Coordinates of all heavy atoms in Angstrom, one line a residue:
M207 N -0.5 -4.4 6.7 CA -0.2 -3.1 6.1 C 1.2 -2.6 6.7 O 1.4 -2.7 7.9 CB -1.3 -2.0 6.5 CG -2.5 -2.2 5.6 SD -2.1 -1.8 3.8 CE -2.0 0.0 3.9
P208 N 2.0 -2.1 5.8 CA 3.3 -1.6 6.3 C 3.1 -0.3 7.2 O 2.1 0.4 6.9 CB 4.1 -1.3 5.1 CG 3.1 -1.3 3.9 CD 1.9 -1.9 4.4
K209 N 3.9 -0.1 8.1 CA 3.8 1.1 9.0 C 4.0 2.3 8.2 O 4.8 2.4 7.3 CB 4.9 1.0 10.1 CG 4.4 0.2 11.3 CD 5.5 0.2 12.3 CE 6.4 -1.1 12.1 NZ 7.6 -1.1 12.8
K210 N 3.3 3.4 8.5 CA 3.4 4.6 7.8 C 4.6 5.4 8.4 O 4.7 5.6 9.7 CB 2.1 5.4 7.9 CG 1.2 5.0 6.8 CD 0.2 6.2 6.4 CE -0.6 5.8 5.2 NZ -2.0 5.5 5.7
I211 N 5.5 5.9 7.6 CA 6.6 6.7 8.1 C 6.4 8.1 7.8 O 6.2 8.5 6.6 CB 7.9 6.1 7.6 CG1 8.2 4.7 8.2 CG2 9.1 7.1 8.0 CD1 8.8 3.8 7.2
K212 N 6.3 8.9 8.8 CA 5.9 10.4 8.6 C 7.1 11.1 8.1 O 7.1 11.9 7.1 CB 5.4 11.0 9.9 CG 3.9 10.6 10.1 CD 3.5 11.0 11.5 CE 2.3 10.1 12.0 NZ 2.3 10.1 13.4
S213 N 8.3 11.0 8.8 CA 9.4 11.8 8.4 C 10.3 11.0 7.4 O 10.1 9.9 7.1 CB 10.2 12.2 9.6 OG 10.6 11.0 10.3
D214 N 11.3 11.7 7.0 CA 12.3 11.1 6.1 C 12.9 9.9 6.8 O 13.4 9.9 7.9 CB 13.4 12.2 5.8 CG 14.5 11.6 4.9 OD1 14.5 10.5 4.5 OD2 15.5 12.4 4.7
P215 N 12.8 8.7 6.1 CA 13.2 7.5 6.8 C 14.7 7.5 7.2 O 15.1 6.9 8.2 CB 13.0 6.4 5.7 CG 12.5 7.0 4.5 CD 12.2 8.4 4.8
S216 N 15.5 8.2 6.4 CA 17.0 8.2 6.7 C 17.3 9.0 8.0 O 18.3 8.7 8.6 CB 17.7 8.8 5.5 OG 17.4 10.2 5.3
K217 N 16.4 9.8 8.4 CA 16.6 10.6 9.6 C 16.6 9.8 10.8 O 17.1 10.2 11.9 CB 15.6 11.8 9.6 CG 16.1 13.0 8.8 CD 15.2 14.2 9.0 CE 15.6 15.3 8.0 NZ 14.5 15.9 7.4
R218 N 15.8 8.7 10.8 CA 15.7 7.9 12.0 C 17.0 7.2 12.4 O 17.2 6.7 13.4 CB 14.6 6.8 11.7 CG 13.2 7.4 11.7 CD 12.2 6.3 11.6 NE 12.3 5.6 10.3 CZ 12.2 4.3 10.2 NH1 11.9 3.6 11.2 NH2 12.3 3.7 9.0
Y219 N 17.9 7.2 11.4 CA 19.2 6.5 11.7 C 20.3 7.4 12.2 O 21.4 7.0 12.5 CB 19.6 5.7 10.5 CG 18.6 4.6 10.1 CD1 17.6 4.9 9.2 CD2 18.5 3.4 10.8 CE1 16.6 4.0 8.9 CE2 17.6 2.5 10.5 CZ 16.6 2.7 9.6 OH 15.6 1.8 9.3
K220 N 20.0 8.7 12.1 CA 21.0 9.7 12.6 C 22.4 9.5 12.1 O 22.6 9.0 11.0 CB 20.9 9.7 14.1 CG 19.5 10.1 14.6 CD 19.5 10.6 16.0 CE 18.1 11.1 16.4 NZ 17.8 10.8 17.7
A221 N 23.3 9.9 12.9 CA 24.7 9.9 12.4 C 25.4 8.6 12.8 O 26.6 8.4 12.6 CB 25.5 11.1 13.0
R222 N 24.7 7.6 13.3 CA 25.3 6.4 13.7 C 25.9 5.6 12.5 O 26.9 4.9 12.6 CB 24.2 5.5 14.3 CG 24.7 4.8 15.5 CD 23.6 4.4 16.6 NE 22.3 4.2 16.1 CZ 21.7 3.0 16.0 NH1 22.4 2.0 16.4 NH2 20.4 2.9 15.7
Y223 N 25.3 5.8 11.3 CA 25.8 5.2 10.1 C 26.3 6.3 9.2 O 25.9 7.4 9.3 CB 24.7 4.4 9.5 CG 24.0 3.4 10.4 CD1 22.8 3.6 10.9 CD2 24.7 2.2 10.7 CE1 22.2 2.7 11.8 CE2 24.1 1.3 11.5 CZ 22.8 1.5 12.1 OH 22.3 0.6 12.9
G224 N 27.1 5.9 8.3 CA 27.6 6.8 7.3 C 26.5 7.2 6.3 O 25.4 6.6 6.3
S225 N 26.7 8.3 5.6 CA 25.7 8.8 4.7 C 25.4 7.8 3.6 O 24.3 7.7 3.1 CB 26.2 10.1 4.1 OG 27.3 10.0 3.3
K226 N 26.4 7.0 3.2 CA 26.2 6.0 2.1 C 25.2 5.0 2.6 O 24.3 4.6 1.8 CB 27.6 5.3 1.8 CG 28.2 5.8 0.5 CD 29.4 4.9 0.2 CE 30.1 5.4 -1.0 NZ 31.4 4.7 -1.2
I227 N 25.4 4.6 3.8 CA 24.5 3.5 4.3 C 23.1 4.1 4.5 O 22.1 3.5 4.2 CB 25.1 2.9 5.7 CG1 26.3 2.1 5.3 CG2 24.0 2.1 6.4 CD1 27.1 1.6 6.5
R228 N 23.0 5.4 5.0 CA 21.7 6.0 5.2 C 21.0 6.2 3.8 O 19.8 6.0 3.7 CB 21.9 7.4 5.9 CG 21.8 7.2 7.4 CD 21.8 8.5 8.1 NE 23.2 9.1 8.1 CZ 23.4 10.4 7.7 NH1 22.4 11.2 7.4 NH2 24.6 10.8 7.7
K229 N 21.8 6.5 2.8 CA 21.2 6.6 1.5 C 20.7 5.2 1.0 O 19.6 5.1 0.5 CB 22.3 7.0 0.5 CG 22.2 8.5 0.1 CD 23.1 8.8 -1.0 CE 23.2 10.3 -1.3 NZ 24.3 10.6 -2.1
K230 N 21.4 4.2 1.3 CA 21.1 2.8 1.0 C 19.8 2.4 1.7 O 18.9 1.8 1.1 CB 22.2 1.9 1.3 CG 22.1 0.5 0.7 CD 22.7 0.5 -0.7 CE 22.1 -0.7 -1.4 NZ 22.1 -0.5 -2.9
I231 N 19.7 2.8 2.9 CA 18.5 2.4 3.7 C 17.3 3.2 3.2 O 16.2 2.6 3.0 CB 18.8 2.8 5.2 CG1 19.8 1.8 5.8 CG2 17.4 2.7 6.0 CD1 20.3 2.2 7.2
A232 N 17.5 4.4 2.8 CA 16.4 5.2 2.3 C 15.9 4.6 1.0 O 14.7 4.5 0.7 CB 16.8 6.6 2.0
E233 N 16.9 4.1 0.2 CA 16.5 3.4 -1.1 C 15.8 2.1 -0.8 O 14.8 1.9 -1.5 CB 17.9 3.1 -1.8 CG 17.7 2.7 -3.2 CD 19.0 2.1 -3.8 OE1 20.0 2.9 -3.8 OE2 18.9 1.0 -4.3
I234 N 16.2 1.4 0.2 CA 15.5 0.1 0.5 C 14.1 0.4 1.0 O 13.2 -0.3 0.6 CB 16.4 -0.7 1.6 CG1 17.6 -1.3 0.9 CG2 15.5 -1.8 2.2 CD1 18.6 -1.8 1.9
E235 N 14.0 1.4 1.8 CA 12.6 1.8 2.4 C 11.7 2.2 1.2 O 10.6 1.8 1.2 CB 12.8 2.9 3.4 CG 13.6 2.5 4.6 CD 12.9 2.8 5.9 OE1 11.7 3.2 5.8 OE2 13.5 2.6 6.9
R236 N 12.3 2.9 0.3 CA 11.5 3.3 -0.9 C 11.1 2.1 -1.7 O 9.9 2.0 -2.1 CB 12.3 4.3 -1.7 CG 11.4 5.2 -2.6 CD 12.2 6.3 -3.3 NE 13.4 5.8 -4.0 CZ 14.6 6.1 -3.8 NH1 14.9 7.0 -2.8 NH2 15.6 5.6 -4.4
E237 N 12.0 1.2 -1.9 CA 11.8 0.0 -2.7 C 10.7 -0.8 -2.0 O 9.9 -1.4 -2.7 CB 13.1 -0.8 -2.9 CG 14.0 -0.2 -3.8 CD 13.7 -0.5 -5.3 OE1 12.8 -1.2 -5.6 OE2 14.5 0.0 -6.1
S238 N 10.8 -0.9 -0.7 CA 9.9 -1.8 0.0 C 8.5 -1.2 0.0 O 7.5 -2.0 0.2 CB 10.4 -2.0 1.5 OG 10.2 -0.8 2.2
K239 N 8.3 0.0 -0.2 CA 7.0 0.6 -0.2 C 6.4 0.7 -1.7 O 5.3 0.9 -1.8 CB 7.0 2.0 0.4 CG 7.0 1.9 1.9 CD 7.0 3.2 2.6 CE 8.4 3.8 2.7 NZ 8.4 5.1 3.4
A240 N 7.3 0.7 -2.6 CA 6.9 0.8 -4.0 C 6.2 -0.5 -4.5 O 6.3 -1.5 -3.9 CB 8.1 1.1 -4.9
T241 N 5.4 -0.3 -5.6 CA 4.8 -1.5 -6.2 C 5.7 -2.0 -7.3 O 6.5 -1.3 -7.9 CB 3.4 -1.1 -6.8 OG1 3.6 0.0 -7.6 CG2 2.4 -0.9 -5.7
H242 N 5.7 -3.3 -7.4 CA 6.6 -4.0 -8.4 C 5.8 -4.8 -9.3 O 4.6 -5.1 -9.1 CB 7.6 -4.8 -7.6 CG 8.6 -4.0 -6.8 ND1 9.8 -3.6 -7.3 CD2 8.5 -3.6 -5.6 CE1 10.4 -2.9 -6.4 NE2 9.7 -2.9 -5.3
Q243 N 6.4 -5.2 -10.4 CA 5.7 -6.0 -11.4 C 5.4 -7.4 -10.9 O 6.3 -8.1 -10.4 CB 6.5 -6.1 -12.7 CG 5.7 -6.5 -13.9 CD 6.5 -6.8 -15.1 OE1 7.5 -7.4 -15.0 NE2 6.1 -6.2 -16.2
C244 N 4.1 -7.8 -11.1 CA 3.7 -9.1 -10.7 C 4.2 -10.1 -11.7 O 4.1 -10.0 -12.9 CB 2.2 -9.1 -10.6 SG 1.5 -10.8 -10.4
P245 N 4.8 -11.2 -11.2 CA 5.3 -12.3 -12.1 C 4.2 -13.0 -12.9 O 4.4 -13.6 -13.9 CB 6.1 -13.2 -11.2 CG 5.5 -13.0 -9.8 CD 5.0 -11.6 -9.8
K246 N 3.0 -12.9 -12.4 CA 1.9 -13.7 -13.0 C 1.1 -12.8 -14.0 O 1.0 -13.2 -15.1 CB 0.9 -14.2 -11.9 CG 0.0 -15.3 -12.4 CD -0.9 -15.7 -11.2 CE -2.0 -16.6 -11.7 NZ -3.1 -16.8 -10.7
C247 N 0.6 -11.7 -13.5 CA -0.3 -10.9 -14.5 C 0.5 -9.7 -15.1 O -0.1 -9.0 -15.9 CB -1.5 -10.4 -13.7 SG -1.3 -9.3 -12.4
K248 N 1.7 -9.5 -14.7 CA 2.6 -8.5 -15.3 C 2.2 -7.1 -15.0 O 2.7 -6.1 -15.7 CB 2.8 -8.7 -16.8 CG 3.3 -10.1 -17.2 CD 4.7 -10.4 -16.8 CE 5.1 -11.8 -17.1 NZ 6.2 -12.3 -16.3
T249 N 1.3 -6.9 -14.1 CA 0.9 -5.5 -13.8 C 1.7 -5.0 -12.6 O 2.3 -5.9 -11.9 CB -0.6 -5.4 -13.4 OG1 -0.8 -6.2 -12.3 CG2 -1.5 -5.8 -14.6
K250 N 1.8 -3.7 -12.5 CA 2.6 -3.2 -11.3 C 1.8 -3.2 -10.1 O 1.4 -2.1 -9.6 CB 3.2 -1.8 -11.7 CG 4.6 -1.9 -12.2 CD 5.3 -0.6 -12.0 CE 6.8 -0.8 -11.8 NZ 7.4 0.4 -11.2
S251 N 1.4 -4.3 -9.6 CA 0.5 -4.4 -8.5 C 1.1 -5.2 -7.3 O 0.4 -5.4 -6.3 CB -0.8 -5.0 -8.9 OG -1.4 -4.3 -10.0
L252 N 2.3 -5.5 -7.4 CA 2.9 -6.3 -6.4 C 3.3 -5.4 -5.2 O 4.2 -4.5 -5.4 CB 4.1 -7.1 -7.0 CG 4.5 -8.4 -6.3 CD1 3.4 -9.4 -6.4 CD2 5.8 -8.9 -6.9
K253 N 2.8 -5.7 -4.1 CA 3.1 -4.9 -2.9 C 3.7 -5.8 -1.8 O 3.3 -6.9 -1.6 CB 1.9 -4.2 -2.4 CG 1.5 -2.9 -3.2 CD 1.1 -1.8 -2.3 CE 2.2 -0.9 -1.8 NZ 1.8 0.2 -1.0
R254 N 4.6 -5.2 -1.0 CA 5.2 -5.9 0.1 C 4.1 -6.2 1.1 O 3.4 -5.4 1.5 CB 6.3 -5.1 0.7 CG 7.2 -5.9 1.6 CD 8.4 -5.1 1.9 NE 9.2 -5.7 3.0 CZ 9.1 -5.3 4.2 NH1 8.4 -4.2 4.5 NH2 9.8 -5.9 5.2
N255 N 4.0 -7.5 1.5 CA 3.0 -7.9 2.4 C 3.6 -8.5 3.7 O 3.0 -9.1 4.5 CB 2.2 -9.0 1.7 CG 0.8 -9.2 2.4 OD1 0.2 -8.2 2.8 ND2 0.4 -10.4 2.5
G256 N 4.9 -8.2 3.9 CA 5.6 -8.7 5.1 C 7.0 -9.0 4.6 O 7.3 -8.9 3.4
T257 N 7.9 -9.3 5.5 CA 9.3 -9.5 5.2 C 9.4 -10.7 4.2 O 9.0 -11.8 4.6 CB 10.1 -9.8 6.4 OG1 9.9 -8.7 7.3 CG2 11.6 -9.8 6.1
G258 N 9.8 -10.5 3.0 CA 10.0 -11.5 2.0 C 8.7 -12.0 1.4 O 8.8 -13.0 0.6
I259 N 7.6 -11.4 1.7 CA 6.3 -11.9 1.1 C 5.8 -10.7 0.3 O 5.6 -9.6 0.8 CB 5.3 -12.4 2.2 CG1 5.9 -13.5 2.9 CG2 4.0 -12.7 1.5 CD1 5.2 -13.8 4.2
W260 N 5.4 -11.0 -0.9 CA 4.8 -10.0 -1.8 C 3.5 -10.5 -2.3 O 3.3 -11.6 -2.7 CB 5.8 -9.7 -3.0 CG 7.1 -9.2 -2.5 CD1 8.1 -9.9 -2.0 CD2 7.6 -7.9 -2.5 NE1 9.2 -9.1 -1.6 CE2 8.9 -7.8 -1.9 CE3 7.0 -6.7 -2.9 CZ2 9.6 -6.6 -1.8 CZ3 7.7 -5.5 -2.8 CH2 9.0 -5.5 -2.2
K261 N 2.6 -9.6 -2.4 CA 1.2 -9.9 -2.8 C 0.7 -9.0 -3.9 O 0.9 -7.8 -3.8 CB 0.3 -9.9 -1.6 CG -1.0 -10.7 -1.9 CD -2.0 -10.7 -0.8 CE -3.3 -11.3 -1.2 NZ -4.3 -11.1 -0.2
C262 N 0.2 -9.6 -4.9 CA -0.4 -8.8 -6.0 C -1.8 -8.4 -5.7 O -2.6 -9.2 -5.3 CB -0.3 -9.7 -7.3 SG -1.1 -8.8 -8.7
R263 N -2.0 -7.1 -5.8 CA -3.4 -6.6 -5.5 C -4.3 -6.9 -6.7 O -5.5 -6.8 -6.5 CB -3.3 -5.1 -5.3 CG -2.7 -4.8 -4.0 CD -2.7 -3.3 -3.7 NE -1.9 -2.6 -4.8 CZ -1.8 -1.3 -4.8 NH1 -2.4 -0.5 -4.0 NH2 -1.0 -0.7 -5.8
K264 N -3.8 -7.2 -7.8 CA -4.6 -7.4 -9.0 C -5.2 -8.9 -9.1 O -6.3 -9.1 -9.1 CB -3.9 -7.1 -10.3 CG -4.7 -7.0 -11.5 CD -4.6 -5.7 -12.2 CE -5.6 -5.6 -13.3 NZ -5.7 -4.2 -13.8
C265 N -4.2 -9.8 -9.0 CA -4.6 -11.2 -9.2 C -4.5 -12.0 -7.9 O -4.9 -13.2 -7.8 CB -3.8 -11.9 -10.3 SG -2.1 -12.1 -9.9
G266 N -4.0 -11.4 -6.8 CA -3.9 -12.0 -5.5 C -2.8 -13.0 -5.4 O -2.6 -13.7 -4.4
K267 N -1.9 -13.0 -6.4 CA -0.7 -13.9 -6.3 C 0.2 -13.5 -5.2 O 0.5 -12.4 -5.0 CB 0.0 -13.9 -7.7 CG 1.4 -14.3 -7.7 CD 1.6 -15.7 -8.4 CE 3.0 -16.1 -8.3 NZ 3.1 -17.6 -8.1
K268 N 0.6 -14.5 -4.4 CA 1.5 -14.3 -3.3 C 2.8 -14.9 -3.7 O 2.9 -16.0 -4.3 CB 1.0 -15.0 -2.1 CG 0.5 -14.0 -1.0 CD 0.3 -14.8 0.3 CE -0.2 -13.8 1.3 NZ -0.5 -14.5 2.6
T269 N 3.9 -14.1 -3.5 CA 5.2 -14.6 -3.9 C 6.2 -14.3 -2.9 O 6.1 -13.3 -2.2 CB 5.6 -14.1 -5.3 OG1 6.8 -14.6 -5.7 CG2 5.6 -12.6 -5.3
A270 N 7.1 -15.2 -2.7 CA 8.2 -15.0 -1.8 C 9.4 -14.3 -2.6 O 9.6 -14.6 -3.7 CB 8.7 -16.3 -1.2
G271 N 10.0 -13.5 -1.9 CA 11.1 -12.8 -2.6 C 12.1 -12.2 -1.6 O 12.2 -12.7 -0.5
G272 N 12.8 -11.2 -2.0 CA 13.7 -10.6 -1.1 C 12.9 -9.9 0.0 O 11.7 -9.7 -0.2
A273 N 13.6 -9.6 1.0 CA 12.9 -8.9 2.2 C 12.4 -7.6 1.8 O 11.3 -7.1 2.2 CB 13.9 -8.8 3.3
Y274 N 13.0 -6.9 0.9 CA 12.6 -5.5 0.5 C 12.3 -5.3 -1.0 O 11.9 -4.3 -1.4 CB 13.7 -4.5 1.0 CG 13.9 -4.6 2.5 CD1 15.1 -5.3 3.0 CD2 13.0 -4.2 3.4 CE1 15.3 -5.4 4.3 CE2 13.1 -4.3 4.7 CZ 14.3 -5.0 5.2 OH 14.5 -5.1 6.5
K275 N 12.7 -6.3 -1.8 CA 12.4 -6.2 -3.2 C 11.9 -7.6 -3.6 O 12.4 -8.6 -3.0 CB 13.7 -6.0 -4.0 CG 14.2 -4.5 -3.9 CD 15.4 -4.5 -4.8 CE 16.1 -3.1 -4.7 NZ 17.2 -3.0 -5.6
P276 N 11.1 -7.7 -4.6 CA 10.6 -9.0 -5.1 C 11.8 -9.9 -5.5 O 11.8 -11.1 -5.3 CB 9.7 -8.7 -6.2 CG 9.3 -7.3 -6.1 CD 10.4 -6.6 -5.4
K277 N 12.8 -9.2 -6.1 CA 14.0 -10.0 -6.5 C 15.2 -9.2 -6.1 O 15.4 -8.1 -6.4 CB 14.0 -10.1 -8.1 CG 13.3 -11.3 -8.6 CD 13.4 -11.4 -10.1 CE 12.4 -12.5 -10.6 NZ 12.0 -12.2 -11.9
T278 N 16.0 -9.9 -5.3 CA 17.2 -9.2 -4.8 C 18.3 -9.4 -5.7 O 18.4 -10.4 -6.4 CB 17.6 -9.8 -3.4 OG1 17.8 -11.1 -3.5 CG2 16.5 -9.6 -2.4
P279 N 19.2 -8.4 -5.8 CA 20.4 -8.6 -6.7 C 21.2 -9.8 -6.2 O 21.8 -10.5 -7.0 CB 21.2 -7.3 -6.4 CG 20.2 -6.3 -5.9 CD 19.2 -7.1 -5.2
I280 N 21.2 -10.1 -4.9 CA 22.0 -11.2 -4.4 C 21.3 -12.5 -4.9 O 22.0 -13.4 -5.4 CB 22.1 -11.1 -2.9 CG1 23.1 -10.0 -2.5 CG2 22.5 -12.5 -2.3 CD1 23.2 -9.7 -1.0
G281 N 20.0 -12.5 -4.9 CA 19.3 -13.7 -5.4 C 19.6 -14.0 -6.8 O 19.8 -15.1 -7.2
A282 N 19.7 -12.9 -7.6 CA 20.0 -13.1 -9.0 C 21.4 -13.6 -9.2 O 21.7 -14.4 -10.1 CB 19.8 -11.7 -9.8
K283 N 22.3 -13.1 -8.4 CA 23.7 -13.5 -8.4 C 23.8 -15.0 -8.1 O 24.5 -15.8 -8.7 CB 24.5 -12.7 -7.5 CG 26.0 -12.8 -7.7 CD 26.8 -11.8 -7.0 CE 28.3 -11.9 -7.4 NZ 29.1 -12.7 -6.5
V284 N 23.1 -15.4 -7.0 CA 23.1 -16.8 -6.6 C 22.6 -17.7 -7.7 O 23.2 -18.7 -8.1 CB 22.3 -17.0 -5.3 CG1 22.0 -18.5 -5.0 CG2 23.0 -16.3 -4.1
K285 N 21.5 -17.3 -8.4 CA 20.9 -18.0 -9.5 C 21.9 -18.2 -10.6 O 22.0 -19.3 -11.2 CB 19.7 -17.3 -10.0 CG 18.4 -18.1 -10.0 CD 17.3 -17.3 -10.5 CE 16.1 -18.2 -10.8 NZ 14.9 -17.4 -11.1
R286 N 22.6 -17.1 -10.9 CA 23.6 -17.1 -12.0 C 24.7 -18.0 -11.7 O 25.2 -18.8 -12.5 CB 24.1 -15.6 -12.2 CG 24.6 -15.4 -13.6 CD 24.6 -13.9 -14.0 NE 25.4 -13.2 -13.0 CZ 24.9 -12.1 -12.4 NH1 23.7 -11.7 -12.7 NH2 25.6 -11.4 -11.5
T287 N 25.2 -17.9 -10.5 CA 26.3 -18.8 -10.0 C 25.9 -20.2 -10.1 O 26.7 -21.1 -10.6 CB 26.7 -18.4 -8.6 OG1 26.9 -17.0 -8.6 CG2 28.0 -19.1 -8.2
L288 N 24.7 -20.5 -9.6 CA 24.2 -21.9 -9.7 C 24.1 -22.4 -11.1 O 24.5 -23.6 -11.4 CB 22.8 -22.0 -9.0 CG 22.8 -22.0 -7.5 CD1 21.3 -21.9 -7.0 CD2 23.4 -23.2 -6.9
K289 N 23.7 -21.6 -12.0 CA 23.6 -21.9 -13.4 C 25.0 -22.3 -14.0 O 25.2 -23.2 -14.7 CB 23.0 -20.8 -14.2 CG 22.2 -21.2 -15.4 CD 21.5 -20.0 -16.0 CE 21.1 -20.3 -17.5 NZ 20.7 -19.1 -18.2
E290 N 26.0 -21.4 -13.6 CA 27.3 -21.6 -14.1 C 27.9 -22.9 -13.5 O 28.5 -23.7 -14.3 CB 28.2 -20.4 -13.6 CG 28.1 -19.2 -14.5 CD 28.7 -18.0 -13.8 OE1 29.5 -18.1 -12.9 OE2 28.4 -16.9 -14.3
V291 N 27.6 -23.2 -12.3 CA 28.1 -24.4 -11.6 C 27.5 -25.6 -12.4 O 28.2 -26.6 -12.7 CB 27.8 -24.4 -10.1 CG1 28.1 -25.8 -9.5 CG2 28.6 -23.4 -9.4
K292 N 26.2 -25.5 -12.6 CA 25.5 -26.6 -13.3 C 26.1 -26.9 -14.7 O 26.3 -28.0 -15.1 CB 24.0 -26.2 -13.4 CG 23.1 -27.5 -13.4 CD 21.7 -27.1 -13.5 CE 20.9 -28.3 -13.9 NZ 19.6 -27.9 -14.6
Q293 N 26.3 -25.8 -15.4 CA 26.9 -25.9 -16.8 C 28.3 -26.6 -16.7 O 28.6 -27.4 -17.5 CB 27.0 -24.5 -17.4 CG 25.7 -24.1 -18.1 CD 25.8 -22.7 -18.6 OE1 26.7 -21.9 -18.3 NE2 24.8 -22.3 -19.4
E294 N 29.0 -26.2 -15.7 CA 30.4 -26.7 -15.6 C 30.4 -28.2 -15.3 O 31.2 -29.0 -15.8 CB 31.1 -26.0 -14.4 CG 31.9 -24.8 -15.0 CD 32.5 -24.0 -13.8 OE1 32.9 -24.5 -12.8 OE2 32.5 -22.7 -14.0
T295 N 29.4 -28.7 -14.5 CA 29.3 -30.1 -14.1 C 28.8 -30.9 -15.3 O 29.0 -32.1 -15.4 CB 28.5 -30.3 -12.9 OG1 27.2 -29.6 -13.0 CG2 29.2 -29.8 -11.6
E296 N 28.0 -30.2 -16.2 CA 27.4 -31.0 -17.3 C 28.4 -31.2 -18.4 O 28.3 -32.1 -19.2 CB 26.2 -30.2 -17.8 CG 24.9 -30.5 -17.0 CD 23.7 -29.6 -17.3 OE1 23.9 -28.7 -18.2 OE2 22.7 -29.8 -16.7
E297 N 29.3 -30.3 -18.5 CA 30.3 -30.4 -19.6 C 31.3 -31.5 -19.5 O 31.6 -31.9 -18.3 CB 31.1 -29.0 -19.8 CG 30.3 -28.1 -20.7 CD 30.7 -26.6 -20.5 OE1 31.8 -26.4 -19.9 OE2 29.9 -25.7 -20.9
Ligands
LIG379 ZN1 -0.7 -10.3 -10.4

C-alpha cells in the first residue's frame, strides 16, 4: 500500500525547489495515487503497486510501467522514435 500523505505533498519540498518543480512533483504524486485504465479489462482499476508496477484491482493484471504513471510520456516518445528508426531502416 502506498504511504498516506496527510499534508499537501508539495509542502514537503519547501523552497528548495522552484514552484514549477513543486507543481510537477504534486502532479506526479497525484498521478501516482490515481487509478488508471487497465490495459486488459479497460476499467479504471489500475493502481500503483510499487515503483514501476501497476496492478489492476478488477482482473488482477500486473503491469510494468512508468514509476508514477502506467505509461510515461518519455516511454511513448522512445516507442515513437524506435518506430521511426525501424521505418527508416526498412525503406
Ligand atoms: Zn484489469
Side-chain angles (χ1 to χ4, degrees):
M207 280 295 285
K209 273 177 268 167
K210 277 210 173 104
I211 293 140
K212 281 169 204 157
S213 60
D214 179 1
S216 65
K217 276 187 185 137
R218 289 184 296 140
Y219 299 94
K220 298 201 174 140
R222 221 152 29 107
Y223 305 103
S225 63
K226 253 190 187 171
I227 290 172
R228 270 186 286 132
K229 255 188 189 166
K230 194 85 201 153
I231 289 167
E233 192 190 305
I234 287 167
E235 296 230 8
R236 200 172 54 238
E237 288 278 359
S238 71
K239 279 182 280 185
T241 49
H242 293 268
Q243 195 187 49
C244 170
K246 196 182 171 192
C247 65
K248 308 289 176 201
T249 60
K250 261 202 149 199
S251 305
L252 207 64
K253 280 219 94 177
R254 192 165 169 262
N255 200 37
T257 307
I259 299 160
W260 298 79
K261 197 181 174 193
C262 177
R263 287 182 299 176
K264 192 121 186 167
C265 67
K267 161 109 181 140
K268 248 190 184 178
T269 180
Y274 303 104
K275 282 184 190 183
K277 270 180 194 155
T278 60
I280 288 173
K283 194 170 187 262
V284 169
K285 232 178 171 177
R286 203 160 54 233
T287 309
L288 281 172
K289 211 176 161 188
E290 279 167 15
V291 170
K292 212 179 158 206
Q293 274 174 349
E294 271 171 37
T295 51
E296 275 170 0
E297 272 162 17

